[in-house]
Amino acid sequence: MTTQESGYFTEENSAEVVIARNEGAEDARLKEVMAVLIRHLHAAVKEIEPTQEEWFRAIMFLTDTGHMCNEWRQEFILLSDVLGVSMLVDAINNRKPSGASESTVLGPFHVDGAPELPLGSNICLDRKGEPMLVRGRILDTGGRPIAGARIDVWQANDEGFYDVQQKGIQPDFNLRGVFRSDASGAYWFRGVKPKFYPIPDDGPVGKLLGALGRHPYRPAHLHYIIGAEGFETLTTHIFDPDDPYIASDAVFGVKRSLMAEFVPVDDPARIAEAGFDGPFLEVEHDFVLAPAGAKAS
Ligand code: BEZ
Ligand code: FE
């Protein structure tokens, strides 16, 4: 009997028998990953003791999740998001040296090819909502400015929709832009206060959230991807700490260090300087990039 033929299947030895059957796998990583998954899956089934009907419901849930996927919709990523797995994978892959800004989920609404704009540009093309000036600096972990960093930003509008969700309603590339930090590491642009929004919840993942007594909302945020030569690329958000969903983000993306203050400004001189025609919100947030290849400390 080979190792792969290591005995007949019983309830007690189920995981070991299946793992042994994969002994001949050439890809060592695949073999390891499958062994862990099989061990944990069998342990879960033994703990849950599903009826045949319950197991069939689970299979149909995954089937429906697959059917919901198309070129624009990835229901399995949403499932991973609401189970906290996306944030866990993000955490494992983005252990930062001390002082570097923390990462969070990318989400499905990033679009390649957003226009590269001069600092100070207004990315809110339809001028709807409460105007906002966003500014800060891109720094290294020694507090030195990083000039020429590429800052890709995108955000939902004042009703909680991204441009790609409202084609024909919002202008293309509304509330998106790519900026470069100046010689002092500074960046600034104008936008509009974002609103909280539900993750796409008209599919099986939305139904699951409902059945679990959970809401589908993400607190208001701005997305960033920040890259610079010699530094790790940072994918992150900043959040409005006063948002009603700040403590219950449907995808667990909130981190304490990513809170930004949205400060009202009504001084006429500051309004004129910022290029607005009335009161606005000022949001200041610096980002610290980790050196390329740096390990957590
Ligand atoms: C987002 O912030 O764009 C997002 C993240 C995860 C799931 C859905 C949306
Ligand atoms: Fe988002």
Side-chain angles (χ1 to χ4, degrees):
M1 195 162 71
T2 68
T3 333
Q4 279 171 284
E5 300 164 343
S6 67
Y8 292 109
F9 188 102
T10 68
E11 187 177 330
E12 291 69 34
N13 71 5
S14 64
E16 291 71 34
V17 170
V18 177
I19 290 167
R21 189 69 58 84
N22 299 335
E23 196 51 44
E26 277 179 22
D27 181 333
R29 179 66 172 162
L30 174 68
K31 188 156 80 172
E32 178 199 357
V33 167
M34 289 308 294
V36 173
L37 284 178
I38 290 161
R39 205 173 303 120
H40 285 272
L41 184 59
H42 281 234
V45 171
K46 285 173 188 182
E47 185 173 342
I48 295 165
E49 297 195 336
T51 63
Q52 296 284 6
E53 288 71 28
E54 285 172 332
W55 186 236
F56 186 67
R57 275 179 71 184
I59 301 265
M60 285 318 293
F61 171 77
L62 293 175
T63 305
D64 293 344
T65 300
H67 285 160
M68 199 70 200
C69 295
N70 58 37
E71 200 185 331
W72 306 278
R73 177 78 174 255
Q74 230 306 350
E75 195 75 358
F76 280 108
I77 295 185
L78 278 185
L79 180 58
S80 151
D81 293 342
V82 304
L83 296 180
V85 178
S86 301
M87 278 304 289
L88 187 54
V89 173
D90 181 72
I92 289 166
N93 286 280
N94 289 284
R95 295 180 183 127
K96 304 275 186 208
S98 121
S101 294
E102 292 189 283
S103 59
T104 190
V105 277
L106 172 67
F109 298 122
H110 178 257
V111 170
D112 285 331
E116 189 150 347
L117 301 168
L119 286 166
S121 297
N122 197 336
I123 59 173
C124 182
L125 304 179
D126 57 9
R127 303 292 192 268
K128 258 171 69 329
E130 221 180 331
M132 173 182 77
L133 174 69
V134 185
R135 62 192 188 86
R137 287 190 310 154
I138 313 299
L139 303 167
D140 68 14
T141 49
R144 290 171 292 262
I146 302 175
R150 186 179 192 277
I151 305 155
D152 186 346
V153 294
W154 69 105
Q155 61 159 104
N157 71 0
D158 63 320
E159 293 175 4
F161 292 104
Y162 290 89
D163 58 349
V164 289
Q165 295 175 290
Q166 290 193 313
K167 287 210 173 284
I169 299 174
Q170 292 188 44
D172 287 349
F173 293 112
N174 195 32
L175 294 165
R176 299 176 186 276
V178 175
F179 298 92
R180 294 271 174 186
S181 57
D182 73 7
S184 67
Y187 73 91
W188 67 99
F189 63 90
R190 291 175 294 155
V192 70
K193 189 177 186 212
K195 193 179 174 198
F196 57 80
Y197 63 82
I199 62 167
D201 66 342
D202 55 343
V205 171
K207 262 196 225 149
L208 176 66
L209 287 180
L212 293 172
R214 283 171 60 177
H215 69 70
Y217 289 95
R218 298 216 62 206
H221 56 272
L222 280 90
H223 290 262
Y224 287 80
I225 299 176
I226 306 174
E229 186 89 35
F231 294 89
E232 295 289 333
T233 297
L234 172 68
T235 299
T236 196
H237 303 358
I238 54 177
F239 291 93
D240 174 5
D242 297 324
D243 189 277
Y245 297 106
I246 197 69
S248 60
D249 183 359
V251 305
F252 307 96
V254 178
K255 293 179 178 177
R256 206 175 289 280
S257 67
L258 302 180
M259 303 291 176
E261 255 187 287
F262 289 65
V263 181
V265 178
D266 57 10
D267 171 34
R270 299 269 347 263
I271 290 171
E273 184 195 357
F276 291 121
D277 50 16
F280 66 95
L281 295 165
E282 185 168 40
V283 182
E284 188 173 356
H285 197 84
D286 294 344
F287 294 95
V288 178
L289 301 188
K295 294 264 177 299
S297 60

